[in-house]
């Protein structure tokens, strides 16, 4: 196998003119862990914010390459990788894994997609539930301009994607409606104005939703940055939403213990809420008053969301970043709480 070099996020191997599979070795031992560590690159290709959580995930007697979740909804994302051309075996595996994990997003990564398998994914996108999405992603090895001679880097190219307009139409038809409600359309328009500003800052890869909130990845799984409309006005927050409430409380407590430092770095009022009647915990700033229907105030609301998110992210980074999870400690007790440590936050 070729020696490995690191050149930005696209580090791979140094064997020029070789297939990806030959260049980087066996799939489970090389590409899968690389993809697990570079979910932001796959997010960019898919146009979704996803967090990849586990490799070789057990589905009955079989092992799925990677499982994760969509940040905005928390719904499962599954990924199956293979070198060479797509084949019936991997298509069958994808469907088997989907049946065992109930995902909303299914991603098949391969070096080459046969036309029959492209057609199969397109058919699945057209004929399955509107909430289910199938993606085909081609993996190629490319030479970076200006890089050392012979450096090979991976390149991800989207070759099959769902027709979002068609999916929305199907969802509306199944619900007995003709499209989004007026309020949903207002939210979509509002977030369409917010979207380019968030993407310029590297906060998200997602598209404007038709809902009152937008969640964005933090890096560590089970925690998200978020902005939203609420009953009182608007919210800008860091939210801990791991399935285990004890984990959320432990991670929140790490930052709550340094509340004074965080508030000082933020430069304004912050609410540290452990949400005792909820599974999650949050740290939030509030803007009282705005309503989605008041379009004249949208520019001011967007300015506040961007500014408050920037200051909140910097304030958390100043005390070590969003707490991440490590191995359970011996004294975790029956709750199964996971010990936490600070790790760098993406800003």
């Amino acid at each position: 196998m070729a020696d490995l070099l690191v050149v930005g996020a696209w580090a791979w191997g140094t064997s020029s003119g070789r297939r990806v599979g030959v260049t980087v070795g066996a799939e489970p031992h090389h590409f899968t862990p690389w993809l697990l560590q570079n979910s932001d690159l796959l997010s960019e290709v898919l146009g979704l914010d996803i967090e990849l959580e586990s490799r070789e995930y057990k589905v009955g007697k079989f092992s799925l390459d990677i499982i994760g979740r969509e940040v905005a909804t928390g719904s499962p994302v599954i990924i199956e990788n293979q070198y060479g051309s797509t084949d019936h075996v991997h298509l069958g595996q994808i469907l088997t894994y989907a049946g065992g994990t109930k995902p909303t997003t299914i991603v098949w990564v391969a070096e080459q997609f046969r036309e029959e398998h492209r057609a199969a994914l397109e058919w699945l996108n057209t004929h399955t539930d509107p909430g289910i999405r199938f993606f085909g992603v081609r993996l190629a090895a490319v030479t970076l301009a200006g890089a050392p001679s012979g450096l090979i880097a991976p390149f991800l190219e989207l070759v099959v994607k769902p027709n979002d307009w068609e999916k929305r139409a199907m969802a509306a038809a199944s619900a007995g409606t003709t499209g989004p409600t007026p309020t949903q359309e207002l939210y979509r328009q509002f977030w369409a104005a917010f979207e380019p500003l968030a993407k310029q800052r590297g906060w998200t890869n997602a598209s404007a939703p038709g809902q009152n909130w937008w969640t964005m990845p933090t890096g560590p799984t089970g925690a998200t940055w978020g902005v939203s409309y609420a009953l009182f006005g608007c919210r800008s927050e860091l939210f801990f939403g791991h399935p285990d409430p004890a984990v959320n409380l432990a991670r929140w407590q790490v930052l709550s213990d340094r509340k004074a430092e965080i508030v000082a770095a933020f430069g304004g009022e912050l609410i540290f809420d452990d949400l005792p009647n909820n599974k999650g915990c949050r740290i939030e700033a509030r803007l009282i008053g705005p309503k989605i229907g008041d379009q004249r105030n949208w520019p001011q609301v967007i300015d506040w969301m961007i500014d408050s998110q920037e200051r909140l992210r910097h304030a958390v980074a100043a005390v070590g970043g969003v707490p991440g999870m490590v191995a359970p400690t011996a004294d975790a007790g029956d709750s199964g709480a996971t010990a936490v440590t600070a790790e760098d936050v993406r800003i």
Side-chain angles (χ1 to χ4, degrees):
M1 187 184 70
D3 295 333
L4 296 181
L5 291 181
V6 176
V7 179
W10 295 98
W12 208 257
T14 57
S15 289
S16 179
R18 302 174 70 177
R19 289 179 55 250
V20 176
V22 176
T23 302
V24 301
E27 161 211 316
H29 304 297
H30 297 277
F31 178 68
T32 297
W34 177 86
L35 190 59
L36 195 63
Q37 296 169 8
N38 291 276
S39 61
D40 55 333
L41 301 179
L42 184 60
S43 292
E44 184 175 353
V45 171
L46 299 179
L48 301 169
D49 288 327
I50 60 174
E51 292 179 344
L52 304 182
E53 298 173 344
S54 177
R55 56 182 285 203
E56 300 304 309
Y57 181 83
K58 289 296 182 182
V59 181
K61 296 181 179 179
F62 305 99
S63 294
L64 167 66
D65 283 340
I66 299 177
I67 191 167
R69 68 183 186 93
E70 186 180 352
V71 172
T73 63
S75 57
V77 175
I78 66 171
I79 300 171
E80 181 67 9
N81 310 317
Q82 72 171 108
Y83 290 131
S85 296
T86 53
D87 54 47
H88 289 359
V89 172
H90 281 80
L91 176 58
Q93 288 176 185
I94 288 169
L95 297 178
T96 299
Y97 299 147
T101 56
K102 303 299 186 290
T104 57
T105 302
I106 299 97
V107 184
W108 190 0
V109 182
E111 283 187 87
Q112 297 293 334
F113 274 80
R114 299 182 188 276
E115 285 304 316
E116 300 89 339
H117 297 132
R118 287 195 194 206
L121 292 183
E122 290 168 353
W123 186 90
L124 288 166
N125 274 326
T126 302
H127 292 85
T128 55
D129 184 275
I132 306 298
R133 297 170 294 191
F134 288 83
F135 292 88
V137 177
R138 186 174 74 90
L139 168 65
V142 298
T143 301
L144 297 176
S149 177
L151 179 68
I152 299 297
F155 175 76
L156 301 176
E157 178 188 9
L158 190 63
V159 296
V160 178
K161 65 177 181 178
N163 183 322
D164 287 341
W165 180 89
E166 189 174 85
K167 286 283 189 179
R168 286 197 296 269
M170 291 170 60
S174 64
T177 63
T178 59
T181 66
T183 301
Q184 289 173 329
E185 186 56 37
L186 279 176
Y187 281 127
R188 195 177 301 281
Q189 292 175 19
F190 174 83
W191 295 124
F194 174 85
E195 179 182 338
L197 299 175
K199 287 185 173 179
Q200 287 171 12
R201 291 162 172 78
W203 291 353
T204 183
N205 291 291
S207 299
Q211 60 200 25
N212 67 304
W213 75 92
W214 192 318
T215 53
M216 297 164 281
T218 61
T221 60
T224 55
W225 302 110
V227 286
S228 61
Y229 273 89
L231 293 176
F232 56 79
C234 294
R235 171 185 286 124
S236 180
E237 68 179 337
L238 170 62
F239 185 79
F240 294 101
H242 190 276
D244 186 345
V247 170
N248 295 325
L249 184 59
R251 299 174 81 181
W252 175 87
Q253 191 65 55
V254 170
L255 298 181
S256 181
D257 288 345
R258 304 185 69 174
K259 178 178 178 179
E261 297 170 72
I262 294 172
V263 171
F266 178 75
E269 182 181 357
L270 289 172
I271 299 171
F272 285 68
D273 192 350
D274 61 354
L275 298 172
N277 297 319
N278 200 323
K279 290 183 178 181
C281 302
R282 64 164 48 107
I283 300 171
E284 66 173 321
R286 291 184 173 186
L287 179 64
I288 305 300
K291 303 295 182 183
I292 188 62
D294 190 355
Q295 295 177 255
R296 295 172 301 174
N297 287 340
W298 283 7
Q300 291 78 16
V301 171
I302 290 172
D303 286 346
W304 178 83
M305 287 181 172
I306 294 294
D307 176 66
S308 60
Q309 272 290 296
E310 286 181 331
R311 290 188 291 124
L312 181 58
R313 291 167 185 239
H314 280 287
V316 172
V319 297
V322 177
M325 294 177 290
V326 297
T329 58
D331 59 353
D334 295 334
S335 69
T338 303
V340 294
T341 183
E343 63 184 71
D344 292 340
V345 63
R346 298 180 188 177
I347 297 176

